[in-house]
Amino acid sequence: MKLLEQRIREEADVIGADILKVDMFLNHQIDVKLLGEIGKEFYRLYSDAHINKILTVEASGIGIACITAQYFSVPVVFAKKGSNSNIGNELFTSEVFSFTKGTNSVIGVSRKYLNSNDNILIIDDFLANGSALTGLIDIVKQSGAALAGAGIVIEKGFQPGGRLIRESGVRIESLAVIKSMDGGSIIFG
Amino acid sequence: MKLLEQRIREEADVIGADILKVDMFLNHQIDVKLLGEIGKEFYRLYSDAHINKILTVEASGIGIACITAQYFSVPVVFAKKGSNSNIGNELFTSEVFSFTKGTNSVIGVSRKYLNSNDNILIIDDFLANGSALTGLIDIVKQSGAALAGAGIVIEKGFQPGGRLIRESGVRIESLAVIKSMDGGSIIFG
């Protein structure tokens, strides 16, 4: 998606070898007009997939998921983070390893909001090692829902998550794929 | 807002004396069509206020803020939670007491995304004791921005936050105000 690549090129900060900061338009300050274009593009890609619900994870996935859901006319469900979630029969949960923090945490979705009649599109801001996406896919499987695919705003193609999850048979559509950002110079793939 | 009151009446769960669960349409599963009506109503209330930015706090404020921001054509900034935020010169921070958890936590906004040229509308899902809203107002004051007011989806009018903050001179517009929910029966005020 050219508009998104342009915003990344012009505004994103590359920190070290693998951190891309886009908190000026995507995950701290949010450009809702850009989210509108992102939502339209996800709808174009998945309009024939009979999605009835969008699943994301707090916090930075929520805005993207809500704006995208307007185009599909479906509700959003967001997984809650935190090992202090009431774990038990009421929730589908999955353990997610955070590479930035070096810790495991649990994400959970109430059993009331996912079931075997659902056909889910997962939406998230980033795909790198794939830990959050794998956790969300695990929750969809536990619920018995069908998974139509995932829509990712920015994929770091030089990290293994996207390849591994696609190889497992999941459809992933990433609107911008970064092939490399060595020396701070971003190359899209 | 009649549509919102109707949804609360039909779907919300009252737990104990003061917990109102609306996670079926507002803060776990999200009805984005309802958020559209909520956003329109906030726009009607604040359309003359020259808002240039919407401020909220993660996680459940984000969806409401993003959908509302579409009507104002302005960006959203969300305060991040967690005492592990990089506290220091880069952030405006405020301490927020959680009555449900009984603990203090810190919310923070990067200094890059709020400044004295801004005219802020704060959006949040709930107002009860007013701790989160007070923290957001504190952050707006630190930044030197003007505060046009706050837009709250559900105010628990039987808890003191709304009264105290209005008395301090802040405009608050709440789309549903619950006067009492004794015995599980919700009365709007």
Side-chain angles (χ1 to χ4, degrees):
Chain A
M1 188 182 166
K2 287 295 162 203
L3 176 68
L4 177 64
E5 290 183 0
Q6 188 187 331
R7 293 292 295 272
I8 294 169
R9 220 185 282 277
E10 288 172 3
E11 297 178 40
D13 292 324
V14 178
I15 297 168
D18 60 1
I19 296 176
L20 182 77
K21 282 198 85 167
V22 287
D23 63 3
M24 61 295 290
F25 61 80
L26 194 65
N27 48 25
H28 185 18
Q29 181 166 256
I30 303 171
D31 179 341
V32 295
K33 210 175 149 204
L34 177 66
L35 288 201
E37 297 302 319
I38 286 170
K40 262 184 228 170
E41 182 64 8
F42 283 138
Y43 183 66
R44 191 184 67 79
L45 291 162
Y46 282 104
S47 54
D48 295 336
H50 306 291
I51 310 293
N52 80 322
K53 204 170 276 177
I54 288 179
L55 177 66
T56 189
V57 57
E58 67 176 3
S60 45
I62 297 175
I64 306 159
C66 283
I67 302 270
T68 300
Q70 292 179 312
Y71 295 95
F72 288 89
S73 302
V74 300
V76 168
V77 174
F78 66 88
K80 300 194 176 196
K81 279 180 186 165
S83 45
N84 59 349
S85 308
N86 337 319
I87 290 160
N89 280 336
E90 292 174 11
L91 296 180
F92 301 115
T93 63
S94 191
E95 205 167 67
V96 169
F97 181 73
S98 165
F99 285 83
T100 32
K101 293 182 190 159
T103 53
N104 280 308
S105 66
V106 172
I107 61 171
V109 173
S110 168
R111 286 172 183 262
K112 285 187 279 187
Y113 305 126
L114 287 179
N115 66 64
S116 58
N117 297 317
D118 287 326
N119 187 30
I120 303 294
L121 172 62
I122 294 173
I123 293 284
D124 209 358
D125 55 347
F126 271 99
L127 172 59
N129 289 295
S131 187
L133 182 54
T134 301
L136 290 170
I137 292 168
D138 179 30
I139 283 174
V140 172
K141 282 187 182 154
Q142 290 175 47
S143 76
L147 178 63
I152 302 294
V153 181
I154 303 173
E155 179 176 345
K156 292 179 186 163
F158 56 90
Q159 288 180 306
R163 182 178 55 76
L164 293 172
I165 296 169
R166 284 186 184 92
E167 280 174 10
S168 79
V170 174
R171 176 179 175 193
I172 301 176
E173 301 285 354
S174 297
L175 303 190
V177 180
I178 295 172
K179 210 160 89 180
S180 94
M181 45 189 219
D182 293 342
S185 146
I186 298 169
I187 296 164
F188 294 99
Chain B
M1 188 179 164
K2 288 295 163 204
L3 176 69
L4 176 63
E5 291 183 0
Q6 189 188 330
R7 292 294 293 273
I8 295 169
R9 220 185 282 275
E10 287 171 7
E11 296 178 43
D13 291 325
V14 177
I15 297 168
D18 58 3
I19 297 174
L20 182 78
K21 284 199 83 168
V22 287
D23 63 2
M24 60 297 289
F25 61 80
L26 193 65
N27 47 26
H28 185 19
Q29 181 166 257
I30 302 172
D31 179 341
V32 295
K33 208 175 151 207
L34 177 66
L35 289 200
E37 297 301 319
I38 286 170
K40 261 184 229 170
E41 182 65 7
F42 284 138
Y43 183 65
R44 191 184 66 78
L45 291 162
Y46 282 104
S47 55
D48 295 335
H50 306 289
I51 310 294
N52 80 322
K53 205 170 274 178
I54 288 178
L55 177 67
T56 188
V57 57
E58 65 177 7
S60 45
I62 297 174
I64 305 160
C66 284
I67 303 270
T68 300
Q70 292 179 313
Y71 295 96
F72 288 90
S73 301
V74 300
V76 168
V77 173
F78 67 88
K80 299 196 176 194
K81 279 180 187 167
S83 43
N84 59 348
S85 309
N86 336 320
I87 291 160
N89 281 338
E90 292 175 12
L91 296 180
F92 301 115
T93 62
S94 191
E95 206 167 68
V96 168
F97 181 73
S98 164
F99 285 84
T100 32
K101 291 181 191 160
T103 54
N104 280 308
S105 66
V106 172
I107 60 171
V109 173
S110 168
R111 285 171 184 263
K112 287 188 278 187
Y113 305 127
L114 287 179
N115 65 63
S116 58
N117 296 318
D118 288 328
N119 187 31
I120 303 294
L121 172 63
I122 295 173
I123 293 284
D124 209 0
D125 56 345
F126 270 100
L127 171 58
N129 289 294
S131 186
L133 182 53
T134 302
L136 290 169
I137 292 169
D138 178 32
I139 283 173
V140 172
K141 281 186 184 156
Q142 289 175 48
S143 75
L147 177 63
I152 302 293
V153 180
I154 303 172
E155 178 177 343
K156 293 179 187 163
F158 56 89
Q159 289 179 308
R163 183 178 54 78
L164 293 172
I165 296 168
R166 285 185 184 94
E167 281 173 7
S168 79
V170 174
R171 177 179 174 192
I172 301 175
E173 301 285 353
S174 297
L175 303 189
V177 179
I178 295 173
K179 208 159 89 181
S180 95
M181 44 189 220
D182 293 341
S185 147
I186 298 168
I187 296 165
F188 294 99

